[in-house]
Amino acid sequence: MHELSIVLSIVDAAEEQARKHEAKAVERIDLEIGNLAGVDEHALEFAWQVGVKNTMLEKANIEIHKVKGWAQCADCESEFEVKDLFDPCPICGEHLIKIMQGREMKIQSITLLN
Ligand SMILES: [Zn+2]
């Protein structure tokens, strides 16, 4: 499952931070997930419960910040919100669009418990 591997890499990164700062546990983790990142939020929450077992993140609160998909048309250069990677330009109908944001999937911040 794609989402579980995401969770495990988050756990790895957060535990590394926790060890570096000699923290007891991770209290909270803020994630930034683009609407175009291809991450299913429900699957992620389910994978989270499985992936954090017996880790320093077991009791951590997870906060997800969604990032809007935003693109620019390669033809008329207008910028617009996209909900899908294959959305055409709403102005001229061109399918060649450049994704500006919305594909990110990253840790925004980690709150440690000392
Ligand atoms: Zn256009």
Side-chain angles (χ1 to χ4, degrees):
M1 188 167 58
H2 169 64
E3 277 76 13
L4 186 59
S5 64
I6 294 174
V7 169
L8 295 177
S9 66
I10 292 168
V11 168
D12 272 356
E15 284 195 319
E16 194 188 315
Q17 284 299 313
R19 273 195 293 271
K20 206 189 267 178
H21 294 95
E22 295 174 349
K24 277 204 281 288
V26 176
E27 192 171 34
R28 172 188 161 133
I29 190 149
D30 286 65
L31 299 179
E32 207 172 284
I33 302 178
N35 283 339
L36 306 173
V39 177
D40 183 291
E41 218 174 306
H42 295 291
L44 186 72
E45 276 164 18
F46 178 75
W48 182 261
Q49 285 163 20
V50 177
V52 299
K53 275 211 180 89
N54 304 316
T55 73
M56 293 171 97
L57 283 77
E58 197 161 14
K59 296 197 172 81
N61 289 314
I62 177 170
E63 203 65 52
I64 295 173
H65 304 270
K66 303 288 277 183
V67 180
K68 252 193 216 173
W70 200 254
Q72 186 182 38
C73 176
D75 194 31
C76 72
E77 295 188 341
S78 48
E79 291 184 15
F80 48 91
E81 188 188 346
V82 277
K83 299 216 158 65
D84 189 282
L85 280 178
F86 303 105
D87 276 354
C89 170
I91 311 296
C92 71
E94 172 64 55
H95 278 269
L96 198 60
I97 60 171
K98 193 172 116 197
I99 303 296
M100 323 272 285
Q101 68 162 45
R103 297 178 98 159
E104 49 277 89
M105 160 73 229
K106 61 185 182 199
I107 297 173
Q108 202 174 58
S109 67
I110 300 170
T111 309
L112 301 172
L113 190 73
N114 288 304

